[in-house]
């Protein structure tokens, strides 16, 4: 009986782990098509990048680190393939939504122009 | 003589403040809304502590001028939960300076996703005396007659109250529009009292710029708030209502100055109430505290 319970619990954990892994992998799949296709109106603008750097320093660096490499715990690195593969629209959407369950606040309170500045900065640090 | 001294002192303080502001390091500060009564969907960033002083200056008919202060300690416990402690006090001219109690409030984001309208649940416990004049909310039949009582009389009245608010808030095209529905209950004997607060605001410029004296750092808006009677008489009769332009200035060093002149709209309301707020945010406070304990 005990063995059956442990097998059942093991299967259940595996299902949860797979579901969690799947959710992470499909991070950008939740982005509505309209947002996914949006282009950053400030892409490549050096002033926007400088502004984005200041916003990053003020709001993001104490979790994600000054070098954007994350803190090894909840706040992930922002120099990853996942970020590089996302469109500008995906990133702006995610900043607006946040991920409240996992500790990432929603930045809908920032003006949209500043979210685009932040996206421009995130792009600039990927090289 | 008193006026001359006051004006010299205020000019000196203003000059010192300007000097201080221009020398502080520049950091982006969350563009919190400059509201004094209305809550928006914005919660404190997880692990950050914001310390804010909120002052209300007014003079009720038949009463003395007063300044009521609330020191607010707001901590981001989670991305979806902010907890806050207020310590209240007041000074009434020709009377006394007294502490008036404390409030402990919690705000919870109900939905984890961003929507057109974002609901936040607010739960508060208040342990204050009748001499509290901070007017952080107006409910029931609150009016200027309550604020005209002497400190000696009013501090004898102890209020243990529970308060619930449903906060609905939207960020649309850089505008914030917030509506609060308030229900307050004296845990002793009084009936449920109701009130409202609504507000809208927008930054004057939306691009971030590293500057201090520029429109990029200013947010302006307006809020309106008042009482809606109680369970026995859900009415706007004999209730107070105010309309108040608000302006917020994001300062260097993660600080913010807010100002709001409020104008009473009914006979029950104060004619005018001036509010000033100053906030400083300490990022990563929770982490620093944990490291200090270890």
């Amino acid at each position: 009986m005990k063995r059956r319970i442990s097998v059942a619990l093991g299967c259940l954990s595996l299902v949860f782990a797979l579901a969690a892994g799947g959710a992470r992998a499909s991070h950008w799949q939740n982005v509505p098509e309209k947002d996914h296709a949006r282009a950053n109106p400030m892409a490549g603008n050096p002033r926007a990048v400088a502004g984005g750097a200041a916003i990053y320093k003020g709001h993001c660096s104490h979790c994600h680190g000054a070098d954007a490499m994350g803190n090894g715990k909840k706040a992930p690195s922002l120099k990853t393939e996942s970020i590089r593969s996302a469109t500008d629209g995906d990133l702006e959407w995610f900043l607006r939504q946040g991920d409240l369950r996992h500790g990432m606040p929603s930045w809908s309170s920032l003006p949209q122009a500043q979210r685009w500045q932040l996206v421009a900065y995130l792009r600039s640090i990927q090289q | 003589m008193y006026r001359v001294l006051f004006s010299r002192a205020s000019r000196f303080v203003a000059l010192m403040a300007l000097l201080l502001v221009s020398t502080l390091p520049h950091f982006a500060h969350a563009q919190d809304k400059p509201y004094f009564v209305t809550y928006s969907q914005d919660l404190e960033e997880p692990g950050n502590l914001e310390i804010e002083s909120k002052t209300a200056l007014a003079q009720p008919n038949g009463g003395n001028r007063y300044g009521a202060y609330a020191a607010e300690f707001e901590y981001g416990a989670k991305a979806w939960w902010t907890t806050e402690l207020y310590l209240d006090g007041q000074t009434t001219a020709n009377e006394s300076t007294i502490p008036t109690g404390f409030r402990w409030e919690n705000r919870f984001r109900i939905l984890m996703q961003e929507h057109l309208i974002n609901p936040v649940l607010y739960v508060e416990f208040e342990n204050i005396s009748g001499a509290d004049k901070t007017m952080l909310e107006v409910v029931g039949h609150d009016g200027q007659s309550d604020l005209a009582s002497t400190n000696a009389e009013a501090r004898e009245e102890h209020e243990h109250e529970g308060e619930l608010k449903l906060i609905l808030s939207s960020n649309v095209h850089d505008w914030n529009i917030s509506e609060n529905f308030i229900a307050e209950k004296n845990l002793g004997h009084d009936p449920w009292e109701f009130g409202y607060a609504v507000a809208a605001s927008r930054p004057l410029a939306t691009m971030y710029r590293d500057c201090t004296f520029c429109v990029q750092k200013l947010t302006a808006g307006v809020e309106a708030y008042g009482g809606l009677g109680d369970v026995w008489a859900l009415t706007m009769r004999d209730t107070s209502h105010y309309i108040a332009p608000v302006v917020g200035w994001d300062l260097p060093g993660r600080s913010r100055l807010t100002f709001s002149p409020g104008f009473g709209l009914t006979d029950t309301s104060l004619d005018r109430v001036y509010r000033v707020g100053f906030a400083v945010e300490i990022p990563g406070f929770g982490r620093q505290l944990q490291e200090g304990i270890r």
Side-chain angles (χ1 to χ4, degrees):
Chain A
M1 183 64 180
K2 265 187 184 175
R3 199 172 165 187
R4 273 189 197 169
I5 291 172
S6 356
V7 170
L9 283 175
C11 290
L12 209 58
S13 321
L14 189 64
V15 167
F16 278 121
L18 285 174
R24 281 286 158 96
S26 62
H27 217 65
W28 309 119
Q29 287 175 16
N30 296 328
V31 183
E33 196 51 45
K34 197 177 88 183
D35 291 295
H36 172 78
R38 292 171 76 190
N40 185 352
M42 298 182 199
N45 177 341
R47 281 179 59 195
V49 173
I55 298 166
Y56 180 86
K57 189 177 174 185
H59 295 309
C60 319
S61 64
H62 54 270
C63 288
H64 292 283
D67 57 359
M69 291 305 287
N71 62 5
K73 296 175 195 165
K74 268 187 163 180
S77 167
L78 300 177
K79 294 177 177 174
T80 62
E81 192 47 45
S82 174
I83 299 282
R84 281 190 284 275
S85 67
T87 66
D88 287 350
D90 291 340
L91 296 176
E92 195 277 337
W93 178 87
F94 187 71
L95 286 169
R96 190 160 20 106
Q97 289 289 325
D99 186 359
L100 302 187
R101 277 195 192 88
H102 298 102
M104 164 82 176
S106 151
W107 293 107
S108 71
S109 58
L110 284 178
Q112 191 178 45
Q114 293 189 20
R115 288 196 298 271
W116 284 128
Q117 286 181 282
L118 205 42
V119 171
Y121 173 70
L122 287 176
R123 285 279 179 246
S124 75
I125 59 171
Q126 298 304 318
Q127 290 89 27
Chain B
M1 181 66 182
Y2 170 78
R3 283 193 176 186
V4 172
L5 275 176
F6 181 75
S7 119
R8 277 186 192 164
S10 55
R11 260 182 274 165
F12 178 74
V13 168
L15 185 65
M16 286 295 109
L18 281 178
L19 281 173
L20 182 70
V21 158
S22 52
T23 54
L24 283 169
H26 287 72
F27 290 107
H29 186 277
Q31 284 191 314
D32 287 337
K33 310 302 172 282
Y35 311 142
F36 282 88
V37 177
T38 315
Y39 284 87
S40 72
Q41 74 207 65
D42 297 351
L43 301 184
E44 190 55 49
E45 293 166 41
N48 286 11
L49 176 73
E50 186 175 274
I51 303 171
E52 181 165 14
S53 76
K54 287 180 175 172
T55 304
L57 303 164
Q59 180 168 23
N61 280 342
N64 289 316
R65 275 177 294 127
Y66 68 82
Y69 321 101
E72 178 187 353
F73 303 87
E74 179 178 300
Y75 181 69
K78 299 276 180 194
W80 48 268
W81 170 28
T82 288
T83 185
E84 235 173 297
L85 177 72
Y86 283 87
L87 302 174
D88 296 356
Q90 54 106 322
T91 295
T92 302
N94 308 317
E95 292 184 39
S96 55
T97 298
I98 51 172
T100 53
F102 74 89
R103 303 153 191 262
W104 177 42
E105 66 168 58
N106 289 280
R107 278 175 284 148
F108 304 97
R109 275 286 290 250
I110 299 172
L111 303 174
M112 295 292 124
Q113 294 283 314
E114 192 74 9
H115 296 273
L116 184 59
I117 297 172
N118 299 287
V120 176
L121 182 65
Y122 171 111
V123 184
E124 183 187 76
F125 171 72
E126 299 178 5
N127 183 355
I128 55 174
S129 76
D132 195 280
K133 297 177 179 178
T134 48
M135 281 177 58
L136 293 174
E137 70 277 316
V138 175
V139 293
H141 297 278
D142 289 353
Q144 60 174 329
S145 59
D146 303 311
L147 303 165
S149 314
T150 63
N151 282 354
E153 279 171 7
R155 69 188 304 181
E156 293 304 314
E157 186 192 337
H158 295 280
E159 296 172 356
H160 297 134
E161 292 178 337
E163 186 178 302
L164 296 172
K165 281 182 191 170
L166 177 62
I167 299 164
L168 301 176
S169 178
S170 313
N171 288 322
V172 185
H173 298 298
D174 300 330
W175 280 90
N176 174 261
I177 301 158
S178 297
E179 308 90 32
N180 299 178
F181 302 95
I182 309 165
E184 187 179 271
K185 173 86 174 87
N186 186 315
L187 301 178
H189 43 82
D190 290 342
W192 280 95
E193 296 179 301
F194 303 107
Y196 71 91
V198 292
S201 69
R202 187 185 191 281
L204 296 189
T206 56
M207 275 276 279
Y208 181 83
R209 244 186 76 200
D210 214 1
C211 55
T212 302
F213 303 102
C214 54
V215 288
Q216 275 81 1
K217 300 294 177 186
L218 294 173
T219 303
V222 65
E223 67 179 337
Y225 49 90
L228 295 171
D230 53 40
V231 168
W232 293 337
L234 193 61
T235 174
M236 290 180 84
R237 220 171 150 180
D238 297 328
T239 55
S240 302
H241 300 273
Y242 296 88
I243 188 149
V246 289
V247 62
W249 181 23
D250 285 336
L251 298 169
R254 305 186 77 97
S255 56
R256 187 184 66 249
L257 189 64
T258 41
F259 175 69
S260 169
F263 302 96
L265 301 175
T266 60
D267 293 341
T268 321
S269 322
L270 290 164
D271 289 341
R272 288 183 301 278
V273 54
Y274 298 100
R275 295 177 188 268
V276 183
F278 182 73
V280 178
E281 191 178 38
I282 305 169
F285 175 81
R287 196 185 59 238
Q288 289 168 26
L289 192 70
Q290 276 178 351
E291 285 168 4
I293 290 168
R294 276 186 215 138

